[in-house]
Amino acid sequence: MIQNLNSAEPPQTPIIFIHGNNSGGKCNVGWETWYSTQYVSAMEKILTGHYRGYQFGLKSNEEIAWNCDIYTELMSMPDKKRIYNFSYYHPDGEEGVISLSEDSVKVYVYFDNNNIKRVSLPFMPDYPPSNYHHIEWWPRYLPQDGDLTYYYSYSYQYRYNWKKGKYAKRLAEFIDKVLQATGAQKVDIVAHSMGGLVARVAIKNYGCSSKVRKLLMIGTPNHNIDYPDWLEELF
């Protein structure tokens, strides 16, 4: 007997919608990408049209999950056909970075004879210094001059943002919440613009390769125009 593939029911997989880059880095701005009062988004069409029985997931307080962030707790669902609208920004608007991985290196901070602040990195001959003021943890890879530099950068803003928030890590943690709430084995992701890069990093560097069935990217800059090798190194 030959199975009619056109009539086969597709896998019951939760869908996570994630936004692209937004000025200000606010969760509420990101959520509006897929749940807007000004236009009807793809997510809203799926819901209002009752496509294949998909419904919103619910948060632990029984609110619909159209505005989820890293702190959102989800309610257990009776089925897997659930939709979630997630923002990888911090609810307080703190800046962050897409992030490569959790890899970091120990940096020793000390002051030289002129009382100027210096750092000792793993590739330096004086690592670790005999006398140091304090220890910091820096990301292993940092963008510098359009490229990625190993173990090295004086980009304070990047290091600061890296410590404040790693977008891909937040997405990976939310994927785990969705899997637990729905009992599903995998999720589908619909990502706009930079959200596609966040999802790719979550898949490669945060253990989500076996947790994502499909990734649909809309307008994602997978090949950077100015520095084509930079993004390839990133992923």
Side-chain angles (χ1 to χ4, degrees), residues 35-60:
Y35 199 72
S36 173
T37 58
Q38 300 180 6
Y39 60 88
V40 180
S41 69
M43 183 179 75
E44 292 171 287
K45 288 181 180 179
I46 291 174
L47 291 165
T48 57
H50 305 289
Y51 177 75
R52 295 193 182 277
Y54 271 92
Q55 305 176 61
F56 258 129
L58 297 178
K59 298 193 285 187
S60 58

Short mmCIF file of all heavy atoms in Angstrom, two decimals, residues 35-60:
data_model
loop_
_atom_site.label_atom_id
_atom_site.label_comp_id
_atom_site.label_asym_id
_atom_site.label_seq_id
_atom_site.Cartn_x
_atom_site.Cartn_y
_atom_site.Cartn_z
N TYR A 35 2.82 40.42 16.48
CA TYR A 35 1.51 40.63 17.11
C TYR A 35 1.25 42.13 17.15
O TYR A 35 1.47 42.78 18.16
CB TYR A 35 1.50 40.03 18.52
CG TYR A 35 0.12 39.77 19.07
CD1 TYR A 35 -0.65 38.72 18.57
CD2 TYR A 35 -0.41 40.56 20.09
CE1 TYR A 35 -1.92 38.47 19.07
CE2 TYR A 35 -1.68 40.31 20.59
CZ TYR A 35 -2.43 39.26 20.08
OH TYR A 35 -3.69 39.01 20.57
N SER A 36 0.79 42.65 16.03
CA SER A 36 0.70 44.10 15.86
C SER A 36 -0.75 44.56 15.79
O SER A 36 -1.64 43.83 15.34
CB SER A 36 1.44 44.52 14.59
OG SER A 36 1.24 45.87 14.31
N THR A 37 -0.97 45.79 16.22
CA THR A 37 -2.29 46.41 16.08
C THR A 37 -2.41 47.16 14.76
O THR A 37 -3.49 47.63 14.41
CB THR A 37 -2.53 47.40 17.24
OG1 THR A 37 -1.49 48.39 17.24
CG2 THR A 37 -2.53 46.68 18.58
N GLN A 38 -1.31 47.26 14.00
CA GLN A 38 -1.30 48.02 12.76
C GLN A 38 -1.44 47.16 11.52
O GLN A 38 -1.85 47.63 10.47
CB GLN A 38 -0.02 48.85 12.69
CG GLN A 38 0.13 49.85 13.83
CD GLN A 38 1.41 50.66 13.73
OE1 GLN A 38 2.13 50.56 12.75
NE2 GLN A 38 1.67 51.47 14.73
N TYR A 39 -1.04 45.89 11.61
CA TYR A 39 -1.15 45.01 10.46
C TYR A 39 -1.35 43.59 10.96
O TYR A 39 -1.16 43.29 12.15
CB TYR A 39 0.10 45.09 9.58
CG TYR A 39 1.38 44.71 10.30
CD1 TYR A 39 1.82 43.39 10.35
CD2 TYR A 39 2.14 45.68 10.94
CE1 TYR A 39 2.97 43.04 11.02
CE2 TYR A 39 3.30 45.34 11.61
CZ TYR A 39 3.71 44.03 11.65
OH TYR A 39 4.85 43.68 12.31
N VAL A 40 -1.74 42.70 10.07
CA VAL A 40 -1.98 41.30 10.43
C VAL A 40 -0.74 40.49 10.05
O VAL A 40 -0.38 40.41 8.87
CB VAL A 40 -3.21 40.74 9.73
CG1 VAL A 40 -3.43 39.29 10.13
CG2 VAL A 40 -4.45 41.57 10.06
N SER A 41 -0.08 39.92 11.04
CA SER A 41 1.14 39.16 10.81
C SER A 41 0.83 37.71 10.46
O SER A 41 -0.31 37.25 10.57
CB SER A 41 2.02 39.20 12.06
OG SER A 41 1.41 38.46 13.10
N ALA A 42 1.87 37.00 10.05
CA ALA A 42 1.73 35.59 9.74
C ALA A 42 1.25 34.80 10.96
O ALA A 42 0.42 33.90 10.84
CB ALA A 42 3.05 35.03 9.22
N MET A 43 1.78 35.15 12.12
CA MET A 43 1.37 34.45 13.34
C MET A 43 -0.11 34.65 13.61
O MET A 43 -0.83 33.70 13.95
CB MET A 43 2.19 34.97 14.53
CG MET A 43 1.88 34.25 15.84
SD MET A 43 2.88 34.85 17.22
CE MET A 43 2.07 36.42 17.53
N GLU A 44 -0.58 35.88 13.42
CA GLU A 44 -2.00 36.16 13.67
C GLU A 44 -2.89 35.46 12.66
O GLU A 44 -4.00 35.01 12.98
CB GLU A 44 -2.22 37.67 13.66
CG GLU A 44 -1.56 38.37 14.84
CD GLU A 44 -1.61 39.88 14.70
OE1 GLU A 44 -0.87 40.43 13.86
OE2 GLU A 44 -2.39 40.52 15.43
N LYS A 45 -2.42 35.36 11.42
CA LYS A 45 -3.21 34.65 10.41
C LYS A 45 -3.36 33.17 10.76
O LYS A 45 -4.42 32.58 10.57
CB LYS A 45 -2.55 34.80 9.04
CG LYS A 45 -2.67 36.20 8.44
CD LYS A 45 -2.02 36.25 7.07
CE LYS A 45 -2.15 37.64 6.47
NZ LYS A 45 -1.51 37.73 5.12
N ILE A 46 -2.28 32.58 11.26
CA ILE A 46 -2.35 31.17 11.67
C ILE A 46 -3.36 30.98 12.79
O ILE A 46 -4.17 30.04 12.79
CB ILE A 46 -0.96 30.68 12.11
CG1 ILE A 46 -0.02 30.61 10.90
CG2 ILE A 46 -1.04 29.32 12.79
CD1 ILE A 46 1.41 30.27 11.26
N LEU A 47 -3.35 31.91 13.73
CA LEU A 47 -4.22 31.79 14.89
C LEU A 47 -5.68 32.09 14.55
O LEU A 47 -6.58 31.34 14.93
CB LEU A 47 -3.73 32.72 16.00
CG LEU A 47 -2.40 32.30 16.65
CD1 LEU A 47 -1.81 33.46 17.45
CD2 LEU A 47 -2.59 31.09 17.54
N THR A 48 -5.90 33.20 13.87
CA THR A 48 -7.29 33.57 13.56
C THR A 48 -7.91 32.63 12.54
O THR A 48 -9.13 32.43 12.54
CB THR A 48 -7.34 35.01 13.02
OG1 THR A 48 -6.50 35.13 11.87
CG2 THR A 48 -6.89 36.01 14.08
N GLY A 49 -7.08 32.04 11.69
CA GLY A 49 -7.59 31.09 10.72
C GLY A 49 -7.68 29.68 11.23
O GLY A 49 -8.11 28.78 10.52
N HIS A 50 -7.26 29.48 12.48
CA HIS A 50 -7.29 28.14 13.11
C HIS A 50 -6.56 27.12 12.23
O HIS A 50 -7.02 25.98 12.07
CB HIS A 50 -8.72 27.71 13.38
CG HIS A 50 -9.50 28.69 14.21
ND1 HIS A 50 -9.26 28.89 15.54
CD2 HIS A 50 -10.50 29.54 13.85
CE1 HIS A 50 -10.09 29.83 16.00
NE2 HIS A 50 -10.84 30.24 15.00
N TYR A 51 -5.42 27.51 11.68
CA TYR A 51 -4.68 26.65 10.78
C TYR A 51 -4.21 25.39 11.50
O TYR A 51 -3.46 25.45 12.47
CB TYR A 51 -3.47 27.40 10.21
CG TYR A 51 -2.59 26.55 9.33
CD1 TYR A 51 -2.99 26.22 8.03
CD2 TYR A 51 -1.38 26.06 9.79
CE1 TYR A 51 -2.20 25.43 7.22
CE2 TYR A 51 -0.57 25.28 8.97
CZ TYR A 51 -0.98 24.96 7.69
OH TYR A 51 -0.19 24.18 6.90
N ARG A 52 -4.71 24.26 11.04
CA ARG A 52 -4.37 22.94 11.58
C ARG A 52 -4.55 22.85 13.10
O ARG A 52 -3.88 22.09 13.78
CB ARG A 52 -2.94 22.55 11.20
CG ARG A 52 -2.73 22.36 9.70
CD ARG A 52 -1.42 21.69 9.39
NE ARG A 52 -1.19 21.55 7.97
CZ ARG A 52 -1.67 20.57 7.20
NH1 ARG A 52 -2.43 19.64 7.75
NH2 ARG A 52 -1.41 20.54 5.91
N GLY A 53 -5.42 23.70 13.62
CA GLY A 53 -5.75 23.62 15.04
C GLY A 53 -4.76 24.28 15.97
O GLY A 53 -4.81 24.08 17.19
N TYR A 54 -3.84 25.11 15.42
CA TYR A 54 -2.86 25.78 16.28
C TYR A 54 -3.53 26.85 17.13
O TYR A 54 -4.41 27.57 16.69
CB TYR A 54 -1.75 26.41 15.43
CG TYR A 54 -0.60 25.47 15.18
CD1 TYR A 54 -0.58 24.67 14.04
CD2 TYR A 54 0.46 25.38 16.08
CE1 TYR A 54 0.48 23.81 13.81
CE2 TYR A 54 1.52 24.51 15.85
CZ TYR A 54 1.52 23.74 14.71
OH TYR A 54 2.56 22.87 14.49
N GLN A 55 -3.06 26.93 18.38
CA GLN A 55 -3.53 27.93 19.32
C GLN A 55 -2.32 28.53 20.04
O GLN A 55 -1.23 27.97 20.01
CB GLN A 55 -4.47 27.32 20.36
CG GLN A 55 -5.66 26.57 19.81
CD GLN A 55 -6.47 25.92 20.92
OE1 GLN A 55 -7.00 26.60 21.80
NE2 GLN A 55 -6.55 24.61 20.91
N PHE A 56 -2.57 29.64 20.72
CA PHE A 56 -1.52 30.21 21.55
C PHE A 56 -1.20 29.25 22.70
O PHE A 56 -2.09 28.59 23.25
CB PHE A 56 -1.97 31.54 22.17
CG PHE A 56 -1.40 32.74 21.48
CD1 PHE A 56 -2.23 33.76 21.06
CD2 PHE A 56 -0.03 32.87 21.25
CE1 PHE A 56 -1.72 34.89 20.43
CE2 PHE A 56 0.49 33.99 20.63
CZ PHE A 56 -0.36 35.01 20.21
N GLY A 57 0.07 29.20 23.11
CA GLY A 57 0.41 28.58 24.37
C GLY A 57 -0.01 29.52 25.49
O GLY A 57 -0.40 30.67 25.25
N LEU A 58 0.06 29.05 26.71
CA LEU A 58 -0.33 29.86 27.85
C LEU A 58 0.83 30.01 28.83
O LEU A 58 1.63 29.10 29.01
CB LEU A 58 -1.53 29.24 28.59
CG LEU A 58 -2.83 29.12 27.81
CD1 LEU A 58 -3.88 28.43 28.68
CD2 LEU A 58 -3.34 30.48 27.35
N LYS A 59 0.89 31.17 29.44
CA LYS A 59 1.86 31.39 30.50
C LYS A 59 1.31 30.82 31.80
O LYS A 59 0.13 30.45 31.90
CB LYS A 59 2.17 32.88 30.62
CG LYS A 59 2.80 33.45 29.34
CD LYS A 59 3.39 34.82 29.54
CE LYS A 59 2.36 35.90 29.65
NZ LYS A 59 2.95 37.26 29.68
N SER A 60 2.15 30.74 32.81
CA SER A 60 1.75 30.10 34.07
C SER A 60 0.59 30.82 34.75
O SER A 60 -0.14 30.23 35.53
CB SER A 60 2.94 30.02 35.03
OG SER A 60 3.46 31.31 35.28
#
